[in-house]
Amino acid sequence: MLDDVSWTIRPGERWVLAGANGAGKTQLLKIVAGSVWPTPTGRDVRQYRWKGGLWRTPQEIQDEIGYVGPERQDRYTRYGWNHSVAEVVATGVHRTDIPLRSSSDADRRRVAAILRRLRIEALAGRRFLTLSYGERRLALLARSLASRPKMLLLDELLNGLDEANHERARRWLESTRRSSLPWVLSTHRLEDVPASATHALVLEHGRIVYRGSMRRAPLDQWLAHPVETRKKIPSPARRSSDDALVRLTNANVHLDEHVALKDVSLAIHAGDCWVVHGHNGSGKTTLLRTLYGDHGVAVGGRIERAGIEPGVPLQAFKERVGLVAAHLQADHPQELTADAVVQSGRHASIGLNDPPSAADRAAARRALRAFGLSALRARPLRELSYGQLRRVLFARAWVRDPALLLLDEPFAGVDEPTRQDLSERIEDKVAGGAAVVMTTHRRSEWPRCASHELELARGEVRYAGPVRERSPSRRRRPPVRRSRRRRRSLL
């Protein structure tokens, strides 16, 4: 995946890492972090300078490198690590994966100070797995800062963040301007490049095409620009039947002791294209997982699914639904091939309980081919980039020609050409009469065929109905506030 890469990161340098899906960005960060070994070439290919010494293997300094990325985040889901946010951040102080000892008063003060600095102190007592995707990302950034890293690697840090949390993360990146802490931030979006960045590295097909000063970096050529939504196209007329595919009535959903959805009523019909939006933690992911059947509705409310009557298993409904969500990337074993993951979509399962049938194999080949993934079909998930894996999940969702698509932040981690391609596929499904429910934080990602919008706030419906004339505006990058007073560093 990487070929003849030479790169030096010095104290005080702040790098932006860019490139298309599959260019090798995440692989490069893993090599720097020491979690992946470069192919031996007979010469020293990786060196670390620390405490006046030269280290040729990462074992001695791995704990000094902070890493925040989707794969690290997925581990908490995979292993069910559901500790409080304060406990998760304290593991950074102790440099352990899970809490193994109690924190001292000094540790607790440090954790509280970092949470305040990132402006997420309200999350301290929440259980990690009850947080939204974006909230988890900021909690793991706090955990890395608690470890006092000598270098910080941020793989798509700003993915999945709402406007407020995006600003929190961006403000922290700007605050490192006077710090000697070097960091590397990978991104696909020009609007996510912080003004404090000093250098850029651009990869194409595993090779460096630019390495140097940010002032001369050709990022306009490689990163997506924030753009207004393309010209709206009409949704197809509803079918004659008024029967909903899924209907929620006065639904309340609880996650542990946290009320994630409150009194939500919603009906989804064939040909509808719903866009669900709201801040991190507003209940968007919980809503999609409730519609799918992963979460139950509390007594007093109800959920109705077409064709699911008493005695009919919920699995029959799931097999008619295509699902794309971040948790699927964590749930599937990393040794599974792309082919096996797509085959599992035929049965709405994680992996396959039985050997695939000839029909399973043929359908998976067609779906992989349709999404341009035939060359990756035999590759295990651990060898795929985040964007490639997201496309595999799209192929999995499409493999049974579903009547309903549930898409949770479907464009997270994909480059602009891939996003446009996937958007057109969504629009084609709606034109064919399928229903779509999709969450996103970015107005520019709304499908042109969007017919309805649902705005959530703290689990409650603020608006549900046809797309409004005044929709949430695309994010404008706020001006960087520079203070003459040097801030006390918590790094």
Side-chain angles (χ1 to χ4, degrees), residues 14 47 58 81 87 107 144 301 315 413 436-437 470:
R14 298 175 292 278
Q47 298 177 346
W81 294 341
E87 290 173 321
D107 294 339
S144 284
Q315 185 70 12
V436 170
V437 184
R470 289 190 63 187

Side-chain angles (χ1 to χ4, degrees), residues 332 337-349 351-352 354-365 367-368 377 392 395-396 399-400:
H332 281 89
T337 64
D339 199 19
V341 170
V342 176
Q343 290 168 10
S344 74
R346 297 258 298 169
H347 306 279
S349 60
L352 292 170
D354 299 303
S357 67
D360 292 336
R361 290 192 292 269
R365 283 196 299 270
L368 287 164
R377 62 185 299 263
V392 169
R396 179 183 185 272
V399 73
R400 285 199 70 143

Side-chain angles (χ1 to χ4, degrees), residues 230-305:
R230 298 165 294 161
K231 185 177 179 181
K232 182 176 176 61
I233 58 176
S235 298
R238 277 188 182 170
R239 298 173 182 173
S240 57
S241 172
D242 191 45
D243 292 338
L245 295 174
V246 188
R247 187 186 300 274
L248 284 174
T249 305
N250 301 325
N252 292 276
V253 177
H254 301 258
L255 300 181
D256 292 336
E257 298 178 359
H258 173 65
V259 180
L261 292 178
K262 306 174 188 175
D263 197 29
V264 175
S265 295
L266 178 69
I268 301 161
H269 298 81
D272 284 350
C273 182
W274 284 83
V275 176
V276 184
H277 57 94
H279 295 305
N280 289 137
S282 61
K284 300 184 299 298
T285 294
T286 301
L287 173 66
L288 262 64
R289 297 194 68 171
T290 300
L291 295 174
Y292 187 63
D294 288 344
H295 301 317
V297 172
V299 174
R302 69 178 186 272
I303 182 167
E304 302 165 88
R305 300 179 176 89

Side-chain angles (χ1 to χ4, degrees), residues 95-120:
R95 298 184 176 183
T96 60
D97 285 331
I98 58 176
L100 296 178
R101 58 181 179 178
S102 59
S103 297
S104 66
D105 290 341
D107 294 339
R108 287 190 286 271
R109 285 193 297 269
R110 178 166 180 79
V111 167
I114 292 173
L115 292 175
R116 283 196 304 272
R117 187 177 185 192
L118 294 178
R119 302 187 178 185
I120 56 172

Side-chain angles (χ1 to χ4, degrees), residues 138-173:
L138 289 185
L140 292 183
L141 173 60
R143 178 188 179 277
S144 284
L145 296 179
S147 70
R148 295 185 175 92
K150 302 300 183 292
M151 179 166 60
L152 198 54
L153 305 178
L154 308 170
D155 192 5
E156 296 284 357
L157 172 70
L158 301 174
N159 257 352
L161 301 185
D162 62 25
E163 187 171 356
N165 283 329
H166 187 279
E167 169 62 7
R168 289 183 177 102
R170 188 200 62 81
R171 186 171 294 182
W172 176 81
L173 289 167

Side-chain angles (χ1 to χ4, degrees), residues 73-74 76-78 80 128-133 136 246 248 251-255 260-261 264 266 268 276 283-297 303 305 314 317-318 321-332 348 350 396 404-409 437-439 454 456:
Q73 188 165 324
D74 288 348
Y76 287 78
T77 302
R78 186 174 297 122
F128 188 82
L129 296 183
T130 69
L131 302 181
S132 72
Y133 189 84
R136 294 181 191 186
V246 188
L248 284 174
N252 292 276
V253 177
H254 301 258
L255 300 181
L261 292 178
V264 175
L266 178 69
I268 301 161
V276 184
K284 300 184 299 298
T285 294
T286 301
L287 173 66
L288 262 64
R289 297 194 68 171
T290 300
L291 295 174
Y292 187 63
D294 288 344
H295 301 317
V297 172
I303 182 167
R305 300 179 176 89
L314 179 60
F317 172 80
K318 288 188 172 185
V321 177
L323 177 66
V324 176
H327 74 269
L328 289 178
Q329 301 187 196
D331 291 346
H332 281 89
I350 301 301
R396 179 183 185 272
L404 173 63
L405 285 168
L406 302 176
L407 310 175
D408 192 8
E409 290 285 350
V437 184
M438 168 181 156
T439 71
L454 176 69
L456 292 173

